[in-house]
Amino acid sequence: MDEPVCAYLHDLPALQSHIKAMVDILPKKTCLFYAIKANPDPKILKTLLPYVDGFEVASLGELQRVRYVSEEIPVLFGGPGKKEYELEQALKKGVSYIHVESLLELRKLIGVAAQLDIDTNILLRVNLHERTLPVTNVTMAGKPSPFGMDEWIIEEALTILQDVENTHVHFRGFHFHSLSNNKHPDRHMEMILLYMEKVEEWKRTFNVEVSVINVGGGLGVSYDDKPSFDWERFITLFKKSGVLDRLGEAELFFEPGRYIVADFVYYAAEMIDLKSSMDQHFAILRGGTHHHRLPASWGQDHPFSIVSTDDWEWTYDFKRPGIHDDFISIVGELCSPKDRLHSRAKVETLRVGDIVVFEKSGAYSWTISHHDFLGHPHPVFLYKDEWKTKKEEG
Ligand SMILES: *Cc1c(COP(=O)(O)O)cnc(C)c1O
């Protein structure tokens, strides 16, 4: 018997065109890094490698994944709760910048760098107190936050850095990552202007040189019928904003994750059963949120299309269950009511044996999922060429 379809399909050629188009219009003095936590698949990293200026990682595991595809590519090392062994490895493996998230982390880093006698560059991650940051469903700053340091701690951090004992840890600038999934280029630009004002103020107040301003990620992808972030429009706004002149000799880093990869991976799962309970229909898939947790994580419906198949008739001699012109909930194979990918989808025809293909499954999908909950087999991972032939075979 054939295994029911359950697969992640990667369109690497389309990803390549997308990253190329993004980088083609990137202004001078700006750099594009990929935050690999969105999707650390080695083939994705290899596809992006020739185009991006580097990768952003937040653990040694992620650093290892980057070093597996390249020994030289610049790396930004961020994330809260860095352990001393992580700081040590970051220094030994030669990351370009460490994003320091707290005063304790800074003190530990100074100690570790002195012990190893290795120099390093750092950016201080700041949690701004402005209420003017755009609001999205994941906001990490402008409110109490475990990420970065409050604005009024910057002075103390700079004092620690200026201590005569510290000869290895070099302050280079500031890092901000205040939100995720912002779909509005205009508000993104306003946020960056706010960052610029703040940095200019701190440069004056604390009399420090700033050579890098990292404005984080957070470029949004739409999972409904609204448009996703418009990178081209954003770059046009950015060029008109005067930021490039204000940067002087400094560089500005972008480090998006989601927007780079979301559109180029599909999650395909075969419909195993159709149930009607009270007044509702349920499509039960070979797969679910243990492979693709994003819709459950955000409590949203995930966009999909249906690939109809015709081999049912060859296999069974009883009637094939299906619905027509009706609403249906699309759920997974887990014994959990949270295992839901779409709550009320309108479908023309959906029959058992059809394949539901979830689009925009490239970011925070597989990588954030609880793969082994209930112990079902993992999906297969296919990359464009392999996937075409499998699909044609049925
Ligand atoms: C997650 C993360 C990113 C990427 O965020 P996206 O919303 O995927 O663009 C960038 N920087 C930091 C520090 C992050 O934690």
Side-chain angles (χ1 to χ4, degrees):
M1 287 224 98
D2 281 347
E3 294 276 328
V5 171
C6 179
Y8 264 108
L9 314 169
H10 301 71
D11 190 348
L12 299 179
L15 172 65
Q16 185 184 27
S17 310
H18 175 63
I19 191 68
K20 208 165 167 297
M22 281 184 80
V23 169
D24 274 349
I25 58 171
L26 204 59
K28 279 195 195 114
K29 301 190 203 177
T30 67
C31 297
L32 184 67
F33 291 82
Y34 170 56
I36 83 162
K37 79 171 189 283
N39 191 332
D41 183 294
K43 292 191 183 177
I44 285 183
L45 299 187
K46 268 189 196 153
T47 304
L48 298 174
L49 184 64
Y51 303 101
V52 293
D53 291 290
F55 294 106
E56 189 264 353
V57 306
S59 70
L60 288 184
E62 286 194 344
L63 179 57
Q64 204 170 14
R65 278 172 180 263
V66 169
R67 287 297 171 236
Y68 173 75
V69 299
S70 168
E71 282 296 328
E72 302 88 43
I73 185 95
V75 169
L76 313 175
F77 191 94
K82 292 186 202 71
K83 276 65 71 187
E84 276 167 57
Y85 66 83
E86 289 181 303
L87 296 170
E88 193 180 309
Q89 285 304 312
L91 293 175
K92 286 185 177 165
K93 297 233 159 78
V95 306
S96 305
Y97 294 91
I98 297 177
H99 296 158
V100 174
E101 300 247 357
S102 78
L103 293 181
L104 178 59
E105 187 174 296
L106 181 59
R107 290 196 169 97
K108 284 183 180 170
L109 177 61
I110 290 172
V112 172
Q115 215 168 23
L116 296 176
D117 195 17
I118 299 177
D119 280 47
T120 190
N121 296 318
I122 65 154
L123 306 182
L124 296 178
R125 179 168 181 183
V126 180
N127 173 22
L128 284 185
H129 288 95
E130 298 292 325
R131 299 280 157 188
T132 48
L133 290 168
V135 174
T136 64
N137 49 354
V138 185
T139 304
M140 283 152 277
K143 58 177 186 183
S145 160
F147 306 114
M149 43 188 92
D150 286 345
E151 284 177 64
W152 48 76
I153 291 176
I154 296 172
E155 186 168 14
E156 197 177 344
L158 292 171
T159 309
I160 294 171
L161 280 157
Q162 280 151 11
D163 191 291
V164 283
E165 302 275 300
N166 172 35
T167 51
H168 290 91
V169 178
H170 309 287
F171 168 79
R172 298 293 182 226
F174 295 98
H175 172 236
F176 304 89
H177 175 67
S178 307
L179 49 83
S180 189
N181 214 34
N182 176 30
K183 296 188 277 276
H184 309 285
D186 303 64
R187 281 193 245 154
H188 213 79
M189 193 58 239
E190 284 164 26
M191 180 180 74
I192 290 171
L193 285 168
L194 172 67
Y195 293 166
M196 290 301 295
E197 262 171 51
K198 289 286 175 179
V199 171
E200 283 161 1
E201 182 191 317
W202 298 329
K203 273 170 65 177
R204 281 194 306 270
T205 314
F206 305 121
N207 192 25
V208 283
E209 295 264 322
V210 167
S211 56
V212 174
I213 302 167
N214 184 333
V215 299
L219 315 182
V221 167
S222 170
Y223 298 96
D224 53 28
D225 47 14
K226 295 190 193 81
S228 290
F229 192 85
D230 184 341
W231 175 251
E232 221 172 292
R233 170 165 172 75
F234 169 73
I235 292 296
T236 307
L237 292 172
F238 183 84
K239 284 182 176 159
K240 280 194 217 151
S241 68
V243 165
L244 285 169
D245 290 331
R246 285 162 69 177
L247 279 171
E249 299 292 304
E251 283 185 307
L252 186 137
F253 292 178
F254 298 103
E255 51 170 20
R258 183 189 311 276
Y259 183 76
I260 292 181
V261 284
D263 285 353
F264 307 102
V265 183
Y266 301 80
Y267 175 59
E270 185 168 327
M271 179 167 164
I272 302 298
D273 205 345
L274 169 67
K275 303 238 280 217
S276 297
S277 168
M278 316 231 168
D279 57 347
Q280 282 189 34
H281 301 302
F282 293 87
I284 299 170
L285 306 183
R286 155 62 185 120
T289 55
H290 50 327
H291 301 161
H292 193 342
R293 202 169 71 85
L294 181 65
S297 167
W298 281 7
Q300 68 186 12
D301 293 328
H302 203 90
F304 70 93
S305 54
I306 295 165
V307 176
S308 48
T309 56
D310 281 320
D311 34 2
W312 176 275
E313 285 71 17
W314 305 108
T315 319
Y316 302 109
D317 58 4
F318 38 84
K319 194 169 174 287
R320 181 175 182 179
I323 61 162
H324 303 280
D325 281 325
D326 211 336
F327 288 95
I328 192 161
S329 292
I330 302 176
V331 303
E333 61 196 341
L334 302 181
C335 314
S336 158
K338 300 255 182 214
D339 189 17
R340 191 177 275 247
L341 296 144
H342 203 297
S343 284
R344 206 175 131 80
K346 178 87 166 59
V347 293
E348 256 170 53
T349 296
L350 180 60
R351 299 163 305 168
V352 171
D354 285 342
I355 296 162
V356 182
V357 179
F358 295 90
E359 296 132 26
K360 303 188 182 215
S361 301
Y364 306 109
S365 300
W366 171 251
T367 185
I368 66 162
S369 305
H370 42 306
H371 310 148
D372 292 322
F373 181 46
L374 261 92
H376 289 290
H378 291 177
V380 290
F381 282 70
L382 302 173
Y383 301 84
K384 186 121 188 187
D385 299 338
E386 313 156 41
W387 137 40
K388 252 194 184 154
T389 50
K390 295 247 161 103
K391 234 185 185 175
E392 278 152 19
E393 284 162 14

